[in-house]
Amino acid sequence: MKELINKWYRNHALIYKLLLLLSTTFFIVYLFPKTGKFRYSFEKGKPWQSENLYSPFDFAIKKSESQLEKERETVISNSEVYFEIDSEVAASVKDSYLQKFNAVFKDSLTGFEDRVLLFKVGQNALKYLYQHGILNSVFNYPDNQDVILVENNKELNRIQFGELIKQSEIRSYLERLLNQNNLTKYNKEFLALFFDLIEGNASFNKSLTNKALEAELSKVSPTRGVVSEGTLIISKGQVVEEGQYNILNSLKSEYESQVWSSNSYNWVIVAYTLLVALTLLMLLLFLRKYRPKVFENNTKVTFIFFNVVVMILLTTLVINYNSQYLYVVPLCILPLVLKAFFDARLGLFAHVLTVLLLGFIVPNSYEYMFLQIIAGIVTILTVSELYKRANLFISVGQITLIYIIAYFAFFVIHEGQIFTLKWTTFGLFILCGLATLFVQPLIYIYEKLFGLVSDVSLLELSDTNTKLLKELSNKAPGTFHHSLNVANLAEASANEIGANAMLVRVGALYHDIGKMKNPTFFTENQSTGINPHDELSPKESASVIINHVLDGIEIAKKNNLPDRVIDFIRTHHGTSLVYYFYMKEKAADDTVSEEDFEYPGPKPFSKETAILMMCDSVEAASKSLKSPTSTKINDFVESIIDKQVESGQFLNADITFKDIEAIKKVLKLKLANIYHLRIEYPE
């Protein structure tokens, strides 16, 4: 049991990665649709590239959305409309007609014959107006629209809308009637009588109309015909015409929407799990082979997997809501974030794998994958210094332009023309570009959550007005000046060999902060000429010198410096000797142990930490140069760095001899400039 626990403990990091792989796989598979996936890809007007396709089962040919919409519009335009007739209104108007007529047309105003004729004209007018009904409001139906008149939900008559009297038509009708009977001199009184008398009795019955419309719309079939099992759908090499295209789309839709049996469903889950696990395993293998330091850090591996899952989750949510907004998801944030915290190669690799996983669930997967991979490559190539805001805006503009150009090209390939181009999709690409700008606050959030450091934070730390560097300049001004010189040398060296110049500069600025604890024990801070080491033994002096590394780590942690910066404090002396005091002790005692005068390490384990070690040693020792010449400087730099190489200080760093030679060249040139020397050329 004890052996099992020990084995578990020794491999706990690997076990964690295995659990992370499995949990991420299951979560992604949970997000994926659990339906079948149509195995063929096809385009209208293009040849069918696969083998002859026969119908695997009976299925209905679905109408296109445009066909269905056209049929629905036809049904709506031809649908019957219901109007409710209130017969009591007509009866009431006719009953009150005699009383109001007598009040308006008295014997003293009209002759007997005119009065009788006017009365009959009015009766005929009322009979005509209320024959079908008078509308109580304004409606915009065409005159040939079928109308059903009902009373108390009982059908009375079927007419056309034009047969119902509109209130705007009453005046002209009455004037025409009076004119036909030579009674125009009574126009004013007769019209006043009718407008005071007439009421609309035909009102729109919304409930019955909607029920009738729904019933008619429900009769619109979403399909047109059936393809029987075993029927040849399309032959290899045959051009996909309109008819075959609709049939293929119907088969695809039927295949992807069919309900799986429990046995088939389980197999689909297993298949998805295998593919997703294989993809994520490729990511882990990449980290193990090409980024071993990242692979060994479980926090960083978790961070990478977390970002992949977030992108897949966002895309899945958008697809479930409305797939037409698919390109709003700012997928290019993924390579940007990974490049900010790691490097471009890792960012692009993770981005491509994420796009491959999304290919399972997005519509038009080939087009989507092509667009996103091209956009990811452009992201990696264009964004060089993320901490510069202008660079990010320019890069986002370029990414958006690439999206638009690629989408335009695909649309022309599919449709063969540009007149039906969906301009709203370009708007989605612009929104995607704007969303990508969120990467800067996102990087800040990630730094706090995962304890990582990006170039943006390094830029802030490189400001010499920070609290810690101000304290260093006040307590140990000589050390501060030394750190600035080392930072300049290290940055130039890093640029020469393609290392992270910003990181090595920040590391150089903070590498000696431990000297603040006992500043006068270091020669660069001894302005009075008094050396406290004169009162100590060589071993005690060496202990004070060595402790500045441990003190620096302690101060850095108290001030929440990132681990990547603390690494420079740990390694800037590696496991080298405090040589001066070692030789002083050895002169008095031949049995002296090197361990008492050796820095605790570790040795530099990256290009950046190796650069700092070289630049720190050269800059510090250069103060002892007397009457420097180009030859002296060359020999001096060669001697110091060769000694570090021989003592194995760079064995753990991924730095080559070629890089070391390039760094030597930079240091020689910089020191020559510092001492205002000209390069001596051979005669």
Side-chain angles (χ1 to χ4, degrees):
M1 183 66 181
K2 185 178 180 181
E3 185 180 349
L4 181 63
I5 293 173
N6 289 335
K7 191 173 182 180
W8 176 280
Y9 180 77
R10 286 195 301 271
N11 298 288
H12 72 280
L14 193 58
I15 293 170
Y16 173 82
K17 292 179 183 67
L18 179 61
L19 293 175
L20 179 65
L21 174 68
L22 293 175
S23 58
T24 306
T25 298
F26 291 141
F27 183 73
I28 292 174
V29 171
Y30 171 76
L31 295 175
F32 280 5
K34 309 305 185 296
T35 58
K37 187 75 175 177
F38 195 57
R39 59 185 293 192
Y40 303 103
S41 60
F42 55 92
E43 298 176 26
K44 189 193 299 183
K46 301 290 182 182
W48 178 257
Q49 300 294 340
S50 304
E51 68 276 4
N52 293 352
L53 179 62
Y54 295 88
S55 175
F57 43 74
D58 294 343
F59 67 93
I61 304 172
K62 293 186 177 181
K63 297 175 184 175
S64 66
E65 192 58 39
S66 59
Q67 290 174 325
L68 287 173
E69 188 62 31
K70 188 175 181 181
E71 289 186 21
R72 292 189 192 106
E73 289 175 359
T74 303
V75 168
I76 292 170
S77 62
N78 295 330
S79 172
E80 295 174 329
V81 181
Y82 285 78
F83 277 87
E84 187 78 26
I85 298 298
D86 189 348
S87 57
E88 293 181 2
V89 171
S92 174
V93 169
K94 290 176 181 178
D95 289 344
S96 60
Y97 171 66
L98 177 61
Q99 180 183 351
K100 291 188 177 184
F101 181 86
N102 290 332
V104 173
F105 296 102
K106 298 178 181 178
D107 292 339
S108 58
L109 296 176
T110 60
F112 177 75
E113 291 181 0
D114 287 350
R115 191 166 181 272
V116 171
L117 184 57
L118 275 171
F119 183 77
K120 288 183 178 180
V121 168
Q123 279 186 322
N124 292 334
L126 288 176
K127 183 178 180 181
Y128 170 77
L129 293 174
Y130 284 105
Q131 178 183 0
H132 297 299
I134 300 173
L135 294 168
N136 64 352
S137 186
V138 177
F139 300 96
N140 294 322
Y141 291 108
D143 287 343
N144 61 351
Q145 174 71 49
D146 292 330
V147 171
I148 298 177
L149 304 179
V150 296
E151 186 174 9
N152 297 325
N153 291 332
K154 293 182 180 179
E155 185 176 328
L156 296 176
N157 196 6
R158 290 174 178 264
I159 61 173
Q160 289 189 327
F161 180 74
E163 297 180 56
L164 289 171
I165 304 299
K166 302 176 183 67
Q167 293 192 21
S168 60
E169 298 173 343
I170 294 176
R171 182 186 186 90
S172 59
Y173 168 73
L174 294 176
E175 288 177 345
R176 188 169 62 253
L177 203 60
L178 291 173
N179 186 47
Q180 290 173 356
N181 290 277
N182 297 317
L183 297 171
T184 53
K185 60 183 176 181
Y186 301 109
N187 267 7
K188 184 177 179 181
E189 294 82 1
F190 195 77
L191 291 175
L193 167 64
F194 266 76
F195 282 121
D196 184 50
L197 190 66
I198 292 295
E199 290 183 39
N201 71 328
S203 58
F204 178 66
N205 192 318
K206 185 176 180 180
S207 175
L208 288 177
T209 301
N210 286 344
K211 284 181 181 178
L213 179 59
E214 289 172 5
E216 290 299 317
L217 287 175
S218 66
K219 295 177 183 178
V220 176
S221 174
T223 63
R224 53 170 188 83
V226 175
V227 177
S228 303
E229 181 180 352
T231 303
L232 176 64
I233 297 175
I234 194 167
S235 304
K236 184 175 182 179
Q238 184 179 351
V239 175
V240 181
E241 303 287 355
E242 180 73 25
Q244 285 97 350
Y245 184 76
N246 290 337
I247 294 173
L248 288 168
N249 266 332
S250 301
L251 177 59
K252 179 180 179 181
S253 176
E254 186 70 24
Y255 194 88
E256 293 183 350
S257 64
Q258 62 181 289
V259 179
W260 292 87
S261 65
S262 59
N263 187 46
S264 299
Y265 179 83
N266 292 336
W267 277 111
V268 170
I269 295 296
V270 170
Y272 270 135
T273 303
L274 288 175
L275 290 173
V276 174
L278 184 63
T279 306
L280 296 177
L281 181 62
M282 293 302 104
L283 181 55
L284 281 179
L285 292 176
F286 174 87
L287 294 176
R288 185 178 181 182
K289 184 171 179 62
Y290 297 105
R291 301 293 181 271
K293 291 184 177 62
V294 176
F295 181 79
E296 291 165 7
N297 190 318
N298 283 339
T299 301
K300 292 180 179 179
V301 175
T302 304
F303 173 74
I304 294 168
F305 274 65
F306 173 78
N307 277 276
V308 171
V309 169
V310 166
M311 288 298 126
I312 293 174
L313 176 62
L314 283 176
T315 306
T316 306
L317 291 175
V318 169
I319 289 174
N320 290 339
Y321 174 70
N322 191 335
S323 61
Q324 75 178 54
Y325 299 124
L326 177 62
Y327 288 107
V328 173
V329 180
L331 204 63
C332 288
I333 282 182
L334 178 61
L336 279 175
V337 167
L338 296 184
K339 183 180 180 181
F341 289 112
F342 304 108
D343 60 81
R345 190 176 176 187
L346 173 56
L348 182 59
F349 191 83
H351 176 74
V352 171
L353 291 183
T354 305
V355 172
L356 290 177
L357 289 174
L358 290 173
F360 290 122
I361 59 174
V362 297
N364 301 320
S365 56
Y366 176 78
E367 176 183 326
Y368 176 85
M369 290 165 64
F370 183 90
L371 283 174
Q372 296 294 3
I373 290 174
I374 289 293
I377 293 172
V378 172
T379 302
I380 292 297
L381 294 177
T382 57
V383 181
S384 54
E385 296 171 321
L386 195 58
Y387 56 86
K388 294 183 179 179
R389 289 171 296 178
N391 285 0
L392 181 61
F393 278 97
I394 293 169
S395 296
V396 166
Q398 292 172 335
I399 293 165
T400 305
L401 181 62
I402 291 298
Y403 271 129
I404 291 173
I405 292 172
Y407 173 78
F408 175 81
F410 268 110
F411 185 88
V412 173
I413 290 172
H414 291 324
E415 302 296 330
Q417 44 85 22
I418 62 172
F419 304 109
T420 57
L421 193 64
K422 297 178 181 177
W423 297 102
T424 53
T425 308
F426 294 158
L428 299 181
F429 290 137
I430 294 172
L431 288 176
C432 177
L434 294 175
T436 305
L437 295 175
F438 182 69
V439 68
Q440 282 201 325
L442 185 64
I443 286 173
Y444 176 79
I445 294 169
Y446 278 155
E447 286 178 337
K448 300 305 178 186
L449 288 177
F450 291 91
L452 301 172
V453 60
S454 68
D455 284 352
V456 180
S457 293
L458 292 176
L459 182 65
E460 294 173 357
L461 290 171
S462 67
D463 184 2
T464 54
N465 288 316
T466 59
K467 179 183 175 183
L468 193 54
L469 291 180
K470 271 191 171 183
E471 186 180 354
L472 177 64
S473 67
N474 291 330
K475 290 184 177 180
T479 300
F480 177 72
H481 185 261
H482 159 73
S483 297
L484 286 176
N485 289 337
V486 174
N488 292 332
L489 292 174
E491 184 177 19
S493 300
N495 285 325
E496 183 69 21
I497 67 170
N500 190 332
M502 179 65 70
L503 177 61
V504 77
R505 178 175 183 83
V506 173
L509 289 173
Y510 291 90
H511 79 284
D512 269 345
I513 56 174
K515 291 182 179 180
M516 286 192 292
K517 194 167 184 180
N518 296 298
T520 56
F521 281 85
F522 301 91
T523 55
E524 67 265 25
N525 301 311
Q526 295 171 358
S527 57
T528 60
I530 299 173
N531 190 347
H533 288 288
D534 294 340
E535 300 177 4
L536 301 176
S537 67
K539 188 177 289 187
E540 290 172 330
S541 295
S543 178
V544 173
I545 299 297
I546 290 170
N547 282 340
H548 88 274
V549 173
L550 301 176
D551 294 336
I553 294 171
E554 183 181 349
I555 293 170
K557 287 184 176 179
K558 283 183 180 178
N559 287 271
N560 297 316
L561 288 184
D563 288 339
R564 291 176 75 186
V565 177
I566 296 175
D567 287 339
F568 287 91
I569 302 173
R570 285 194 181 98
T571 62
H572 73 278
H573 284 295
T575 57
S576 60
L577 291 173
V578 184
Y579 195 71
Y580 175 80
F581 292 108
Y582 170 71
M583 294 305 294
K584 189 176 180 181
E585 179 70 14
K586 191 174 183 181
D589 181 8
D590 287 338
T591 61
V592 63
S593 172
E594 289 188 0
E595 292 181 0
D596 295 333
F597 295 86
E598 193 177 80
Y599 283 98
K603 295 176 181 179
F605 48 78
S606 66
K607 282 185 179 181
E608 289 76 17
T609 51
I611 289 170
L612 176 61
M613 186 177 191
M614 289 183 251
C615 295
D616 180 41
S617 301
V618 168
E619 201 285 332
S622 68
K623 298 295 189 292
S624 63
L625 279 174
K626 295 178 181 179
S627 303
T629 63
S630 296
T631 304
K632 280 186 179 181
I633 289 174
N634 289 350
D635 295 341
F636 168 77
V637 171
E638 291 284 348
S639 173
I640 290 177
I641 296 180
D642 286 348
K643 188 176 179 181
Q644 291 174 338
V645 173
E646 289 170 7
S647 64
Q649 295 301 319
F650 306 133
L651 290 177
N652 297 334
D654 56 343
I655 192 166
T656 64
F657 286 114
K658 183 179 179 181
D659 292 336
I660 293 173
E661 290 301 318
I663 292 168
K664 285 180 182 178
K665 184 178 178 181
V666 170
L667 293 176
K668 291 172 186 176
L669 181 61
K670 289 290 182 182
L671 288 177
N673 290 334
I674 290 170
Y675 291 106
H676 307 289
L677 300 175
R678 292 181 178 273
I679 301 297
E680 294 180 4
Y681 295 99
E683 295 182 1

